[in-house]
Amino acid sequence: MSNFISAVKTFAADENGVTAIEYGLIASLVGVGIVVAATALGGKLSDMFDFIGSKLKTA
């Protein structure tokens, strides 16, 4: 019975799983930030290339 209690105490003290979850959450937040930034800049970048293309056609 003491081996079982010792194993439970060791499992409760182990923080490797918690660290992995934290890294996963951070990675997902970074991914969401990249998607939001790409979406926001995508339209502006497209408009800029359209403007440059129209100026090249008229030149």
Side-chain angles (χ1 to χ4, degrees):
M1 186 68 176
S2 66
N3 287 341
F4 177 73
I5 293 172
S6 176
V8 170
K9 285 181 181 179
T10 304
F11 179 75
D14 187 16
E15 294 185 4
N16 288 332
V18 175
T19 303
I21 291 171
E22 289 171 350
Y23 284 136
L25 290 173
I26 291 170
S28 65
L29 288 174
V30 168
V32 168
I34 290 171
V35 168
V36 168
T39 302
L41 293 176
K44 293 179 183 178
L45 191 60
S46 176
D47 292 342
M48 183 179 70
F49 279 120
D50 288 341
F51 175 75
I52 293 170
S54 67
K55 292 296 180 184
L56 289 174
K57 286 180 184 176
T58 58

